[in-house]
Amino acid sequence: MHRTDVITAIESALTEVLEREVTGTEQSTRLFEDLHLDSTSVLELLMSLEDSTGIEVDPEEIDADDFQTVGTLTDFVLTATGGTADEPALAAAH
C-alpha cells in the first residue's frame, strides 16, 4: 500500500466510526483533540482498518504514540502492511 491509499482508508474508517463524513485530513490532524476519538472509537477504527487494509493488530501491543495524528497512524499502518511512503509524515504537533 502507498501512503495516499492508507490515508484514504483511514478517512473511510473514521467516517464509519464517527458516523460523519471525514475527508481532507492533514497528516498533522490529531485523532483525539481534533477528531474527538476516545478509546472505544480507536478500537473500532482499528477493526475497520483491519478489514480495509488487511493488517492484524493486537490491542494489547499498540502504542498510544501511533494514534496521535493521522500521520502517525498512517506510519503505523504502513509498517504493518509493509507499504511504501509516497511522502514523509509530518511530525506530530505538540
Side-chain angles (χ1 to χ4, degrees):
M1 282 189 106
H2 292 283
R3 183 168 209 84
T4 53
D5 298 328
V6 173
I7 292 170
T8 299
I10 290 171
E11 288 180 341
S12 295
L14 286 167
T15 295
E16 178 182 326
V17 168
L18 297 174
E19 298 179 349
R20 63 180 168 87
E21 189 70 25
V22 178
T23 60
T25 61
E26 300 290 327
Q27 294 209 38
S28 60
T29 301
R30 299 170 299 175
L31 298 176
F32 291 95
E33 295 87 348
D34 298 334
L35 297 176
H36 309 290
L37 291 183
D38 58 24
S39 57
T40 302
S41 56
V42 166
L43 291 176
E44 292 174 13
L45 177 64
L46 281 174
M47 289 188 293
S48 180
L49 287 172
E50 285 178 332
D51 291 342
S52 65
T53 65
I55 64 171
E56 291 185 25
V57 179
D58 180 353
E60 298 296 321
E61 296 181 9
I62 59 176
D63 187 342
D65 289 342
D66 294 326
F67 297 89
Q68 290 190 8
T69 66
V70 170
T72 59
L73 181 56
T74 301
D75 291 339
F76 172 82
V77 174
L78 282 171
T79 298
T81 63
T84 59
D86 301 325
E87 55 197 64
L90 299 176
H94 292 274

